[in-house]
CSV table of all heavy atoms in Angstrom, one decimal:
chain,number,residue,atom,x,y,z
A,1,PRO,N,155.5,145.9,-1.9
A,1,PRO,CA,155.2,144.9,-0.8
A,1,PRO,C,155.9,145.3,0.5
A,1,PRO,O,156.9,146.0,0.5
A,1,PRO,CB,155.8,143.6,-1.4
A,1,PRO,CG,156.9,144.1,-2.3
A,1,PRO,CD,156.4,145.4,-2.9
A,2,LEU,N,155.3,144.9,1.5
A,2,LEU,CA,155.8,145.3,2.8
A,2,LEU,C,157.2,144.8,3.0
A,2,LEU,O,158.1,145.4,3.7
A,2,LEU,CB,154.9,144.8,4.0
A,2,LEU,CG,153.5,145.5,4.1
A,2,LEU,CD1,152.9,145.1,5.4
A,2,LEU,CD2,153.6,147.0,3.9
A,3,SER,N,157.5,143.7,2.4
A,3,SER,CA,158.9,143.1,2.5
A,3,SER,C,159.9,143.9,1.8
A,3,SER,O,161.1,143.6,1.9
A,3,SER,CB,158.9,141.7,1.9
A,3,SER,OG,158.4,141.6,0.6
A,4,ALA,N,159.5,144.9,1.0
A,4,ALA,CA,160.5,145.8,0.3
A,4,ALA,C,161.0,146.9,1.2
A,4,ALA,O,161.9,147.6,0.9
A,4,ALA,CB,159.8,146.4,-0.9
A,5,LEU,N,160.4,147.1,2.4
A,5,LEU,CA,160.6,148.3,3.2
A,5,LEU,C,161.5,148.0,4.4
A,5,LEU,O,161.5,146.9,5.0
A,5,LEU,CB,159.3,148.8,3.7
A,5,LEU,CG,158.3,149.3,2.6
A,5,LEU,CD1,157.0,149.8,3.3
A,5,LEU,CD2,158.9,150.4,1.8
A,6,SER,N,162.2,149.0,4.8
A,6,SER,CA,162.9,149.0,6.1
A,6,SER,C,161.9,149.6,7.2
A,6,SER,O,161.5,150.7,7.0
A,6,SER,CB,164.2,149.8,6.1
A,6,SER,OG,165.1,149.3,5.2
A,7,ILE,N,161.6,148.8,8.2
A,7,ILE,CA,160.4,149.1,9.0
A,7,ILE,C,160.9,149.1,10.5
A,7,ILE,O,161.3,148.1,11.0
A,7,ILE,CB,159.3,148.1,8.8
A,7,ILE,CG1,158.7,148.2,7.4
A,7,ILE,CG2,158.1,148.4,9.9
A,7,ILE,CD1,157.6,147.2,7.1
A,8,PRO,N,160.8,150.2,11.2
A,8,PRO,CA,161.1,150.2,12.6
A,8,PRO,C,160.0,149.5,13.4
A,8,PRO,O,158.8,149.7,13.1
A,8,PRO,CB,161.1,151.7,13.0
A,8,PRO,CG,161.0,152.5,11.7
A,8,PRO,CD,160.4,151.6,10.7
A,9,GLY,N,160.4,148.7,14.4
A,9,GLY,CA,159.4,148.0,15.2
A,9,GLY,C,159.8,148.0,16.7
A,9,GLY,O,160.9,148.4,17.0
A,10,THR,N,158.9,147.6,17.5
A,10,THR,CA,159.2,147.5,18.9
A,10,THR,C,158.9,146.1,19.5
A,10,THR,O,157.9,145.5,19.0
A,10,THR,CB,158.5,148.6,19.7
A,10,THR,OG1,157.1,148.6,19.4
A,10,THR,CG2,159.1,150.0,19.5
A,11,HIS,N,159.6,145.8,20.4
A,11,HIS,CA,159.5,144.4,21.1
A,11,HIS,C,158.7,144.6,22.3
A,11,HIS,O,158.9,145.6,23.1
A,11,HIS,CB,160.9,143.9,21.4
A,11,HIS,CG,161.0,142.8,22.5
A,11,HIS,ND1,161.5,143.0,23.7
A,11,HIS,CD2,160.6,141.5,22.4
A,11,HIS,CE1,161.5,142.0,24.4
A,11,HIS,NE2,160.9,141.0,23.7
A,12,ASN,N,157.7,143.7,22.6
A,12,ASN,CA,156.7,143.9,23.7
A,12,ASN,C,156.3,145.4,23.7
A,12,ASN,O,156.5,146.1,24.7
A,12,ASN,CB,157.4,143.5,25.0
A,12,ASN,CG,157.3,142.0,25.2
A,12,ASN,OD1,156.3,141.4,25.5
A,12,ASN,ND2,158.4,141.3,25.0
A,13,SER,N,155.7,145.8,22.7
A,13,SER,CA,155.4,147.2,22.4
A,13,SER,C,154.7,148.0,23.5
A,13,SER,O,155.0,149.1,23.7
A,13,SER,CB,154.7,147.3,21.1
A,13,SER,OG,155.4,146.7,20.0
A,14,PRO,N,153.7,147.4,24.2
A,14,PRO,CA,152.9,148.2,25.2
A,14,PRO,C,153.6,148.2,26.6
A,14,PRO,O,152.9,148.7,27.5
A,14,PRO,CB,151.6,147.5,25.2
A,14,PRO,CG,151.8,146.1,24.9
A,14,PRO,CD,153.0,146.1,23.9
A,15,THR,N,154.8,147.7,26.7
A,15,THR,CA,155.4,147.5,28.1
A,15,THR,C,156.1,148.8,28.5
A,15,THR,O,157.3,148.7,29.0
A,15,THR,CB,156.3,146.3,28.1
A,15,THR,OG1,157.4,146.5,27.1
A,15,THR,CG2,155.6,145.0,27.8
A,16,HIS,N,155.4,150.0,28.5
A,16,HIS,CA,156.0,151.2,28.9
A,16,HIS,C,155.6,151.6,30.3
A,16,HIS,O,156.0,152.6,30.9
A,16,HIS,CB,155.6,152.4,28.0
A,16,HIS,CG,154.2,152.6,28.0
A,16,HIS,ND1,153.2,151.8,27.5
A,16,HIS,CD2,153.5,153.7,28.4
A,16,HIS,CE1,152.0,152.4,27.6
A,16,HIS,NE2,152.2,153.5,28.2
A,17,HIS,N,154.7,150.8,30.9
A,17,HIS,CA,154.2,151.1,32.2
A,17,HIS,C,155.2,150.7,33.4
A,17,HIS,O,156.2,150.1,33.1
A,17,HIS,CB,152.9,150.2,32.4
A,17,HIS,CG,151.8,150.5,31.4
A,17,HIS,ND1,151.0,151.6,31.4
A,17,HIS,CD2,151.5,149.7,30.3
A,17,HIS,CE1,150.2,151.5,30.4
A,17,HIS,NE2,150.5,150.4,29.7
A,18,LYS,N,154.8,151.2,34.6
A,18,LYS,CA,155.6,150.8,35.7
A,18,LYS,C,155.5,149.3,35.9
A,18,LYS,O,154.4,148.8,36.0
A,18,LYS,CB,155.1,151.5,36.9
A,18,LYS,CG,155.9,151.3,38.2
A,18,LYS,CD,155.4,152.1,39.4
A,18,LYS,CE,156.3,151.8,40.6
A,18,LYS,NZ,155.8,152.6,41.8
A,19,ALA,N,156.6,148.6,35.9
A,19,ALA,CA,156.6,147.2,35.9
A,19,ALA,C,157.9,146.6,36.4
A,19,ALA,O,158.9,147.4,36.7
A,19,ALA,CB,156.3,146.6,34.5
A,20,LEU,N,158.0,145.3,36.6
A,20,LEU,CA,159.3,144.7,37.0
A,20,LEU,C,160.4,145.1,35.9
A,20,LEU,O,160.1,145.2,34.7
A,20,LEU,CB,159.2,143.2,37.0
A,20,LEU,CG,158.2,142.6,38.0
A,20,LEU,CD1,158.1,141.1,37.8
A,20,LEU,CD2,158.7,143.0,39.4
A,21,PRO,N,161.6,145.4,36.3
A,21,PRO,CA,162.6,145.9,35.4
A,21,PRO,C,162.8,145.0,34.2
A,21,PRO,O,163.1,145.5,33.1
A,21,PRO,CB,163.9,145.9,36.3
A,21,PRO,CG,163.4,146.0,37.7
A,21,PRO,CD,162.1,145.3,37.7
A,22,SER,N,162.7,143.7,34.3
A,22,SER,CA,162.9,142.8,33.2
A,22,SER,C,161.7,142.7,32.3
A,22,SER,O,161.8,142.1,31.2
A,22,SER,CB,163.4,141.4,33.7
A,22,SER,OG,162.3,140.8,34.5
A,23,VAL,N,160.6,143.2,32.8
A,23,VAL,CA,159.3,143.1,32.0
A,23,VAL,C,159.1,144.3,31.1
A,23,VAL,O,158.7,144.2,30.0
A,23,VAL,CB,158.1,143.0,33.0
A,23,VAL,CG1,156.8,143.2,32.2
A,23,VAL,CG2,158.1,141.7,33.7
A,24,ARG,N,159.5,145.5,31.6
A,24,ARG,CA,159.4,146.7,30.9
A,24,ARG,C,160.5,146.8,29.8
A,24,ARG,O,161.6,146.7,30.0
A,24,ARG,CB,159.5,147.9,31.8
A,24,ARG,CG,159.3,149.2,31.0
A,24,ARG,CD,159.4,150.5,31.9
A,24,ARG,NE,159.1,151.7,31.1
A,24,ARG,CZ,159.2,152.9,31.6
A,24,ARG,NH1,159.4,153.1,32.9
A,24,ARG,NH2,159.0,153.9,30.8
A,25,CYS,N,160.0,147.0,28.5
A,25,CYS,CA,160.9,147.0,27.4
A,25,CYS,C,160.8,148.3,26.6
A,25,CYS,O,161.7,148.5,25.7
A,25,CYS,CB,160.5,145.9,26.4
A,25,CYS,SG,160.7,144.2,27.1
A,26,GLN,N,159.9,149.2,26.9
A,26,GLN,CA,159.7,150.4,26.1
A,26,GLN,C,159.7,151.7,27.1
A,26,GLN,O,159.3,151.6,28.2
A,26,GLN,CB,158.5,150.4,25.3
A,26,GLN,CG,158.4,149.2,24.3
A,26,GLN,CD,159.6,149.2,23.3
A,26,GLN,OE1,160.1,150.3,23.0
A,26,GLN,NE2,160.1,148.1,23.0
A,27,ALA,N,160.1,152.8,26.5
A,27,ALA,CA,160.2,154.0,27.2
A,27,ALA,C,158.9,154.8,27.0
A,27,ALA,O,158.6,155.6,27.9
A,27,ALA,CB,161.4,154.9,26.7
A,28,VAL,N,158.2,154.7,25.9
A,28,VAL,CA,157.1,155.5,25.6
A,28,VAL,C,155.9,154.6,25.2
A,28,VAL,O,156.0,153.5,24.9
A,28,VAL,CB,157.4,156.6,24.6
A,28,VAL,CG1,158.6,157.5,25.0
A,28,VAL,CG2,157.7,155.9,23.2
A,29,SER,N,154.7,155.3,25.1
A,29,SER,CA,153.5,154.6,24.8
A,29,SER,C,153.4,154.1,23.4
A,29,SER,O,154.1,154.7,22.5
A,29,SER,CB,152.3,155.5,25.1
A,29,SER,OG,152.2,156.5,24.2
A,30,PRO,N,152.5,153.1,23.0
A,30,PRO,CA,152.3,152.8,21.7
A,30,PRO,C,151.9,153.9,20.8
A,30,PRO,O,152.3,154.0,19.6
A,30,PRO,CB,151.2,151.7,21.8
A,30,PRO,CG,151.5,151.1,23.1
A,30,PRO,CD,151.8,152.2,24.0
A,31,ARG,N,151.1,154.8,21.3
A,31,ARG,CA,150.6,155.9,20.4
A,31,ARG,C,151.8,156.8,20.1
A,31,ARG,O,152.0,157.2,18.9
A,31,ARG,CB,149.6,156.8,21.2
A,31,ARG,CG,149.1,158.0,20.4
A,31,ARG,CD,148.2,157.7,19.3
A,31,ARG,NE,148.1,158.8,18.3
A,31,ARG,CZ,147.0,158.9,17.6
A,31,ARG,NH1,146.0,158.1,17.6
A,31,ARG,NH2,146.8,160.0,16.8
A,32,GLU,N,152.7,157.1,21.0
A,32,GLU,CA,153.9,157.9,20.7
A,32,GLU,C,154.8,157.1,19.8
A,32,GLU,O,155.5,157.7,18.9
A,32,GLU,CB,154.6,158.3,22.0
A,32,GLU,CG,155.7,159.3,21.8
A,32,GLU,CD,156.3,159.9,23.1
A,32,GLU,OE1,155.7,159.6,24.1
A,32,GLU,OE2,157.4,160.5,23.0
A,33,GLN,N,154.9,155.8,19.9
A,33,GLN,CA,155.7,155.1,19.0
A,33,GLN,C,155.2,155.2,17.6
A,33,GLN,O,156.0,155.4,16.6
A,33,GLN,CB,155.7,153.6,19.4
A,33,GLN,CG,156.4,153.3,20.7
A,33,GLN,CD,156.2,151.9,21.2
A,33,GLN,OE1,156.1,150.9,20.4
A,33,GLN,NE2,156.1,151.6,22.5
A,34,LEU,N,153.9,155.1,17.4
A,34,LEU,CA,153.3,155.2,16.1
A,34,LEU,C,153.5,156.6,15.5
A,34,LEU,O,153.9,156.7,14.3
A,34,LEU,CB,151.7,155.0,16.2
A,34,LEU,CG,151.3,153.5,16.5
A,34,LEU,CD1,149.9,153.5,16.9
A,34,LEU,CD2,151.5,152.6,15.3
A,35,GLU,N,153.4,157.6,16.3
A,35,GLU,CA,153.6,159.0,15.8
A,35,GLU,C,155.0,159.3,15.4
A,35,GLU,O,155.2,160.2,14.6
A,35,GLU,CB,153.1,160.0,16.9
A,35,GLU,CG,151.6,160.0,17.0
A,35,GLU,CD,151.1,160.8,18.2
A,35,GLU,OE1,152.0,161.2,19.0
A,35,GLU,OE2,149.9,161.1,18.3
A,36,ASN,N,155.9,158.4,15.9
A,36,ASN,CA,157.3,158.6,15.6
A,36,ASN,C,157.9,157.5,14.6
A,36,ASN,O,159.1,157.3,14.6
A,36,ASN,CB,158.1,158.7,16.8
A,36,ASN,CG,158.0,160.0,17.5
A,36,ASN,OD1,158.6,161.0,17.2
A,36,ASN,ND2,157.1,160.1,18.5
A,37,GLY,N,157.0,156.9,13.9
A,37,GLY,CA,157.4,156.1,12.7
A,37,GLY,C,157.5,154.6,13.0
A,37,GLY,O,157.7,153.8,12.0
A,38,VAL,N,157.2,154.1,14.2
A,38,VAL,CA,157.2,152.6,14.4
A,38,VAL,C,156.0,152.0,13.7
A,38,VAL,O,154.9,152.5,13.8
A,38,VAL,CB,157.1,152.3,15.9
A,38,VAL,CG1,156.9,150.8,16.2
A,38,VAL,CG2,158.4,152.8,16.6
A,39,ARG,N,156.2,150.9,12.9
A,39,ARG,CA,155.2,150.3,12.1
A,39,ARG,C,155.1,148.8,12.3
A,39,ARG,O,154.6,148.1,11.5
A,39,ARG,CB,155.4,150.6,10.6
A,39,ARG,CG,155.3,152.1,10.3
A,39,ARG,CD,153.8,152.6,10.5
A,39,ARG,NE,153.7,154.0,10.2
A,39,ARG,CZ,153.8,155.0,11.1
A,39,ARG,NH1,154.1,154.6,12.4
A,39,ARG,NH2,153.7,156.2,10.8
A,40,PHE,N,155.7,148.3,13.4
A,40,PHE,CA,155.6,146.8,13.7
A,40,PHE,C,155.5,146.8,15.2
A,40,PHE,O,156.3,147.3,16.0
A,40,PHE,CB,156.9,146.1,13.3
A,40,PHE,CG,156.9,144.6,13.7
A,40,PHE,CD1,156.4,143.6,12.9
A,40,PHE,CD2,157.4,144.3,14.9
A,40,PHE,CE1,156.4,142.3,13.3
A,40,PHE,CE2,157.4,143.0,15.4
A,40,PHE,CZ,156.9,141.9,14.5
A,41,PHE,N,154.5,146.1,15.7
A,41,PHE,CA,154.3,145.9,17.1
A,41,PHE,C,154.4,144.4,17.4
A,41,PHE,O,153.8,143.5,16.7
A,41,PHE,CB,152.9,146.3,17.6
A,41,PHE,CG,152.8,147.9,17.9
A,41,PHE,CD1,153.8,148.7,17.7
A,41,PHE,CD2,151.6,148.4,18.3
A,41,PHE,CE1,153.7,150.1,18.0
A,41,PHE,CE2,151.4,149.7,18.6
A,41,PHE,CZ,152.5,150.6,18.4
A,42,ASP,N,155.1,144.1,18.5
A,42,ASP,CA,155.2,142.7,19.0
A,42,ASP,C,154.4,142.7,20.3
A,42,ASP,O,154.6,143.4,21.3
A,42,ASP,CB,156.7,142.5,19.3
A,42,ASP,CG,156.9,141.2,20.1
A,42,ASP,OD1,156.2,140.2,19.8
A,42,ASP,OD2,157.7,141.2,21.1
A,43,ILE,N,153.3,141.9,20.2
A,43,ILE,CA,152.3,141.9,21.3
A,43,ILE,C,152.1,140.4,21.9
A,43,ILE,O,152.1,139.5,21.1
A,43,ILE,CB,150.9,142.3,20.8
A,43,ILE,CG1,151.0,143.7,20.0
A,43,ILE,CG2,149.9,142.4,21.9
A,43,ILE,CD1,151.5,144.8,20.9
A,44,ARG,N,152.1,140.4,23.2
A,44,ARG,CA,151.9,139.1,23.9
A,44,ARG,C,150.6,139.2,24.7
A,44,ARG,O,150.5,140.2,25.5
A,44,ARG,CB,153.1,138.8,24.8
A,44,ARG,CG,154.5,139.1,24.2
A,44,ARG,CD,154.8,138.3,23.0
A,44,ARG,NE,156.1,138.7,22.4
A,44,ARG,CZ,157.3,138.3,22.7
A,44,ARG,NH1,157.4,137.3,23.7
A,44,ARG,NH2,158.4,138.7,22.1
A,45,VAL,N,149.7,138.2,24.6
A,45,VAL,CA,148.4,138.2,25.2
A,45,VAL,C,148.1,137.0,26.0
A,45,VAL,O,148.6,135.9,25.6
A,45,VAL,CB,147.3,138.5,24.2
A,45,VAL,CG1,147.5,139.9,23.6
A,45,VAL,CG2,147.2,137.4,23.2
A,46,GLN,N,147.3,137.1,27.0
A,46,GLN,CA,146.8,135.9,27.7
A,46,GLN,C,145.3,135.9,27.5
A,46,GLN,O,144.5,136.7,28.1
A,46,GLN,CB,147.1,136.0,29.2
A,46,GLN,CG,146.6,134.8,30.0
A,46,GLN,CD,147.0,134.9,31.5
A,46,GLN,OE1,148.1,135.1,31.8
A,46,GLN,NE2,146.0,134.8,32.4
């Protein structure tokens, strides 16, 4: 079960773009996060 695993995730995962300092939470793109083991995305939509 997924609850058995230790899983790296990111907060506001797609916020790697040029943005207000308090808005940007990530250094790299979602694709690069996935390729380096991240398996939880936190997404906010309007």
Side-chain angles (χ1 to χ4, degrees):
L2 295 190
S3 53
L5 299 176
S6 297
I7 298 176
T10 50
H11 162 249
N12 278 288
S13 305
T15 58
H16 66 292
H17 303 279
K18 184 178 181 180
L20 297 173
S22 61
V23 171
R24 184 177 179 182
C25 298
Q26 299 304 325
V28 301
S29 69
R31 178 73 192 206
E32 190 171 348
Q33 294 171 35
L34 290 166
E35 290 173 346
N36 285 278
V38 172
R39 295 293 178 266
F40 175 93
F41 276 2
D42 168 42
I43 307 299
R44 319 296 174 91
V45 297
Q46 177 178 310

